[in-house]
Amino acid sequence: MIKKVDLRGLACPEPVLKAKRLLDDQTVERLDALVDDLVCVNNLKRLARSLKATATCQEQNGSFLVVIDRSLSAATGGDVTGDTATSIDNESHTSAFPADKAATGSGTVVFLSKDTFGQGDPQFSRTLLDLFLQSMLEAGHAPTAILIANTGVKLLAPESPSRHVLKEFQERGCPVLACGLCVEFYGLKEHIHDSQIINMFAIVEYLQEASKVLTP
Amino acid sequence: MSDSSHSGYVKLTDSTKAGGCAAKISSAELEEILRALPTLHSPRLLYGMDNFEDAAVYRITDDVAIIQTIDFFPPVVDDPYLFGRIAAVNALSDVYAMGGKPIIALNVLCFPTCDYPTEVVREILRGGADAVVEAGASMAGGHSIQASVPIYGLSVTGIVHPDRVLTNSGACEGDAIVISKPIGTGIALLGLKGQQLTASSQKQLLDNLTTLNNRSLEAALNYTVHAATDVTGFGLIGHLHEMAHASRLTATLWADCVPLLGQTAELAELGLVPAGAYANRHAYAEHIHYIDKNAEDDPLCDLLFDPQTAGGLLFALEPAAAQALVRQLKDIGLNAALIGQFKSGKAGLVEIALQCREVA
């Protein structure tokens, strides 16, 4: 997932700390950050190096666009923080940058904050949710992400019938992301891959930026 | 620090972009400006603006010279008492760096009185006064004006025997370099502002910032010190360069030996590096030689350039004396270390080796 953020106007060390919080979400592969000055640029390059990601920078109307990319890190290696400004794919950045917004890809986000579809008989409600997810998959809908919190994380338990459905969403390019606190609370940590764990900060960003949130 | 101390008004550190010695004007800029100024050189003025000494020294009699210095900056912490105390410790340090004893201090205060309650001013001045009392000097007045940004510091007068002034310029070939305090205040203060410091790192930082250099000077005067300065806004590298330049020698600095404040290495690695550190790196680039490959990119180097507030003293003395001094400084609870050595070579060059070594 690519995230964009405008860090201009923030006093040091806020820009680098905010970038770090966004990159704590392992599903963010690339962060495009707009900053005021070279001090921020250099600090973000250090952050990238500490995360073993690449960082490139280019000037943009008096500001600087820093692209931190961790998908390239393993392949390139070596000097990832060279001071030479590298040209990057500019297509998506020439348009006006959303002011102080992290554009987490709009689209539909499915938010499963419990392991049931509505409220009623627990077993029946649970079956309905399995059916909902199965139907969504079969209909070919591809949400931006499926976020799972609270008892919803039980859907990812080994014995859960929905587990393979969610896995299929994932394989189709729709990230299935579970709240770390919840996974820990319900003792499911060992069954869920680290790359699927996100924090509340990321959940807020996803919900905030979605054009539509489905909460069955 | 308690958050309650600044409820109801803007945090002190929010009013300023660069706090402490990070607020210093770059040495290159200064040098150019100062060179053009008219000066009247009295033979009694033993040390003035040459060699970037820490303070001016003026001989009154054959036995007494006065040391005169002034230092002030915008808030580095939100707690007004601590800000006052840190600013005063920093200002008093210049007298110790010249080998003297402070006798009189005057307050320098610029303050937006409309933005803060009187209590804040009182606390800043109380912090300053406590440091002056601890130094054994008399607070004898001062001057205050209205300003948009708070600024506090001291003008300090000290005394020293004219023959026993410590300067930048006396280091000898083979001298070992001793630092009396850990470095990293610029980076740690950013960490404090960004709420990244653990309670113990925070305590270590504030203790460090409020520790006078009087005891390190006293300890050092038991030995034959060839050169001394204090580490402030130009960072360890900048002040070491000035000493090497004034002494016409090359300094070798062993980066791994330099004591660091808690968490500063990891914070530097994460990119919490103040603007002043980049400015120092740029300003001294031509005087630096990195012995190890890729050392330039080592996060440790950011610390070597980090502008220090109320930093420690830097001494040059014979290796055996240096080792004894470090032991003595450690005995009185200071995190001192032997961090390098002077050798003959290009004047003012600072060689950086990452690994610690033994003095030759």
Side-chain angles (χ1 to χ4, degrees), chain B residues 15 47 55 66 86 105 129 145 205 212 223 233 270 293 354 359:
Chain B
S15 61
Y47 299 96
I66 57 165
I86 293 164
I145 58 161
L205 168 66
L212 283 173
Y223 307 88
L270 284 178
K293 199 168 163 268
L354 289 180
V359 274

Side-chain angles (χ1 to χ4, degrees), chain B residues 338-359:
Chain B
L338 202 163
I339 59 168
Q341 197 166 17
F342 283 105
K343 62 177 187 183
S344 63
K346 195 177 156 214
L349 183 70
V350 179
E351 293 182 341
I352 299 175
L354 289 180
Q355 298 287 318
C356 269
R357 294 186 205 169
E358 292 293 313
V359 274

Side-chain angles (χ1 to χ4, degrees), chain A residues 169-185:
Chain A
F169 270 111
Q170 187 113 348
E171 278 161 8
R172 288 185 187 183
C174 162
V176 176
L177 306 166
C179 139
L181 278 177
C182 314
V183 166
E184 215 152 300
F185 184 82

Side-chain angles (χ1 to χ4, degrees), chain B residues 100-147:
Chain B
K101 177 184 164 29
I103 52 168
I104 296 177
L106 302 175
N107 286 309
V108 178
L109 179 72
C110 305
F111 204 78
T113 47
C114 300
D115 300 346
Y116 297 92
T118 330
E119 181 62 17
V120 175
V121 176
R122 203 188 338 262
E123 283 297 291
I124 292 173
L125 294 178
R126 189 170 69 85
D130 278 353
V132 170
V133 167
E134 192 189 334
S138 305
M139 185 68 94
H143 185 62
S144 60
I145 58 161
Q146 286 279 357

Side-chain angles (χ1 to χ4, degrees), chain B residues 41-104:
Chain B
H41 262 296
S42 158
R44 286 170 173 267
L45 183 65
L46 304 180
Y47 299 96
M49 293 192 290
D50 309 330
N51 278 344
F52 278 86
E53 290 299 347
D54 303 296
V57 184
Y58 190 94
R59 182 168 48 80
I60 303 290
T61 68
D62 286 348
D63 299 328
V64 179
I66 57 165
I67 301 172
Q68 189 66 51
T69 182
I70 182 162
D71 209 317
F72 49 80
F73 47 66
V76 285
V77 292
D78 292 318
D79 183 302
Y81 174 82
L82 282 173
F83 165 47
R85 185 145 195 157
I86 293 164
V89 164
N90 187 70
L92 288 157
S93 178
D94 285 332
V95 173
Y96 298 123
M98 300 302 287
K101 177 184 164 29
I103 52 168
I104 296 177

Side-chain angles (χ1 to χ4, degrees), chain A residues 11-14 16-17 20 39 42-43 46-47 49-50 79, chain B residues 190 193-194 196 268-273 275 278 281 297 302:
Chain A
C12 195
E14 231 12 81
V16 71
L17 288 176
K20 182 178 178 296
V39 171
N42 283 320
N43 283 346
R46 278 160 173 73
L47 175 67
R49 183 171 58 193
S50 74
D79 177 26
Chain B
L190 272 191
K193 198 173 177 185
Q196 300 296 303
E269 199 168 350
L270 284 178
L272 268 83
V273 179
Y278 293 111
R281 189 186 272 261
D297 294 330
D302 284 326

